């Protein structure tokens, strides 16, 4: 039931002072068409540039073949999976597409500023080194009896670092948990860096035995950017189709 506004309140309500706009529908449609045509040209130019400059790196597939991994890369999915079998252990490596570091995108304009003083250039180099590019990835070691050991790792400039080692029960359920939320509900082990140094080294050596090394780290860093580039081209294609149809 809708109640009526009391008369004493109605008298206090001031009318809205709104400017009346008399814009013919055709004028508005013309503006939309004009801006749409401009957008199409820009998107097509960007798409042409990206397609022209994208080069598939055969060395990535050479590494996959050499390392014995099977690459699972679904066209419209940002997840990438590597799998192989070592004895009775199934090795599963998962990572996502990622954009290049913003520092990399700013390298060219920084290099063009040749008029800067020498000490300023040295400071910029130090800042770039301090903010290294990196990629996260997860390794699952699944035994035939169902037990699963999980390593949360980061790779930077081809160097792999372990952040967390945990035992999990449900592989598929764990994959669906966002990386930063893993371990918030159940105890999944201490921060790797807090472990005894001998235990850290032993866990890393065990992981390396399955082929999880710096070569893999370099591949993940490269392929995650390549994956994002391909997804970006697909997005530009879809955007062009929407604007033209």
């Amino acid at each position: 039931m809708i109640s009526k506004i009391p008369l004493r309140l109605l008298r206090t309500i001031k009318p809205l002072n709104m400017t009346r706009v008399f814009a013919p529908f055709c004028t508005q449609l013309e503006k939309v068409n004009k801006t749409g045509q401009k957008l199409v040209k820009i998107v097509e130019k960007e798409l042409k540039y990206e397609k022209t400059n994208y080069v598939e790196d055969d060395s990535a597939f050479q590494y996959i073949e050499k390392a014995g991994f099977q690459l699972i890369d679904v066209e419209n999915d940002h997840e990438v999976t590597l799998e192989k079998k070592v004895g009775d252990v199934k090795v599963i490596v998962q990572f996502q597409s990622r954009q290049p570091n913003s520092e990399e995108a700013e390298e060219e304009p920084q290099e063009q500023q040749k008029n800067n003083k020498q000490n300023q250039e040295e400071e910029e180099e130090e800042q770039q080194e301090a903010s290294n590019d990196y990629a996260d990835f997860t390794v699952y070691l699944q035994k035939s009896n169902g037990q699963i050991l999980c390593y949360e790792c980061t790779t930077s400039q081809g160097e792999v670092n372990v952040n967390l080692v945990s035992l999990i029960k449900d592989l598929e359920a764990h994959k669906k948990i966002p990386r930063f939320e893993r371990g918030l509900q159940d105890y999944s082990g201490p921060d790797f860096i807090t472990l005894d140094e001998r235990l850290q080294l032993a866990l890393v050596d065990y992981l390396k035995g399955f082929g999880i090394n710096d070569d893999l780290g370099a591949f993940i860093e490269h392929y995650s950017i390549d994956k994002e580039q391909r997804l970006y081209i697909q997005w530009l294609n879809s955007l062009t189709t929407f604007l033209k149809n």
Side-chain angles (χ1 to χ4, degrees), residues 3-245:
S3 59
K4 295 183 179 180
I5 301 176
L7 184 59
R8 59 185 178 84
L9 293 179
L10 187 60
R11 291 172 179 171
T12 63
I13 298 176
K14 296 181 180 180
L16 293 175
N17 294 323
M18 298 181 65
T19 303
R20 299 183 68 181
V21 179
F22 298 94
F25 175 75
C26 59
T27 303
Q28 185 178 10
L29 185 58
E30 288 174 358
K31 183 177 180 181
V32 170
N33 290 336
K34 185 177 180 179
T35 55
Q37 291 172 1
K38 180 181 178 180
L39 179 57
V40 167
K41 291 180 180 179
I42 294 174
V43 174
E44 287 182 330
K45 184 178 180 180
E46 176 73 3
L47 179 58
K48 182 179 178 181
Y49 174 83
E50 293 297 335
K51 284 184 175 181
T52 302
N53 288 275
Y54 175 75
V55 179
E56 191 174 46
D57 190 355
D58 294 335
S59 63
F61 297 98
Q62 292 173 4
Y63 166 78
I64 290 295
E65 184 178 354
K66 181 181 178 181
F69 281 106
Q70 175 191 359
L71 176 66
I72 303 173
D73 184 356
V74 180
E75 185 176 356
N76 295 316
D77 194 345
H78 66 109
E79 291 277 359
V80 180
T81 303
L82 301 174
E83 292 184 357
K84 72 175 179 179
K85 206 72 180 297
V86 179
D88 68 338
V89 177
K90 184 178 182 180
V91 183
I92 305 170
V93 181
Q94 276 200 326
F95 61 94
Q96 298 180 349
S97 62
R98 67 185 179 94
Q99 296 183 357
N101 194 328
S102 58
E103 293 292 336
E104 293 180 358
E106 295 175 359
E107 282 182 1
E108 291 184 3
Q110 287 179 355
E111 290 176 356
Q112 293 174 0
Q113 297 174 355
K114 295 181 179 179
N115 296 327
N116 291 342
K117 295 180 180 180
Q118 183 66 30
N119 60 342
Q120 291 177 334
E121 293 177 353
E122 291 176 355
E123 289 179 0
E124 289 175 358
E125 291 177 0
E126 290 176 359
Q127 290 176 358
Q128 289 177 0
E129 291 176 359
S131 58
N132 290 334
D133 203 6
Y134 71 94
D136 296 321
F137 66 99
T138 304
V139 181
Y140 298 101
L141 304 178
Q142 184 179 27
K143 288 190 173 182
S144 57
N145 60 11
Q147 297 183 86
I148 305 170
L149 186 62
C150 174
Y151 283 76
E152 300 288 357
C153 306
T154 300
T155 174
S156 176
Q157 296 184 343
E159 181 179 348
V160 173
N161 291 291
V162 177
N163 302 319
L164 181 69
V165 178
S166 60
L167 290 162
I168 63 173
K169 298 178 181 179
D170 190 330
L171 177 62
E172 296 305 319
H174 191 267
K175 288 179 180 179
K176 294 178 182 178
I177 303 174
R179 184 183 177 89
F180 59 89
E181 292 182 6
R182 292 173 182 172
L184 294 181
Q185 296 180 354
D186 300 325
Y187 179 75
S188 56
D191 289 340
F192 190 76
I193 197 172
T194 65
L195 296 174
D196 181 85
E197 186 175 348
R198 292 172 298 178
L199 180 54
Q200 290 185 41
L201 292 173
L203 284 168
V204 170
D205 288 341
Y206 181 71
L207 184 64
K208 287 181 177 180
F210 294 96
I212 312 302
N213 50 33
D214 292 346
D215 289 338
L216 174 66
F219 166 80
I220 291 174
E221 290 180 53
H222 170 82
Y223 199 85
S224 59
I225 293 178
D226 179 85
K227 174 67 172 177
E228 195 279 336
Q229 185 69 13
R230 287 182 280 119
L231 289 173
Y232 179 51
I233 292 174
Q234 291 175 21
W235 179 79
L236 289 172
N237 267 319
S238 299
L239 184 56
T240 303
T241 301
F242 170 83
L243 294 169
K244 285 188 170 183
N245 297 329

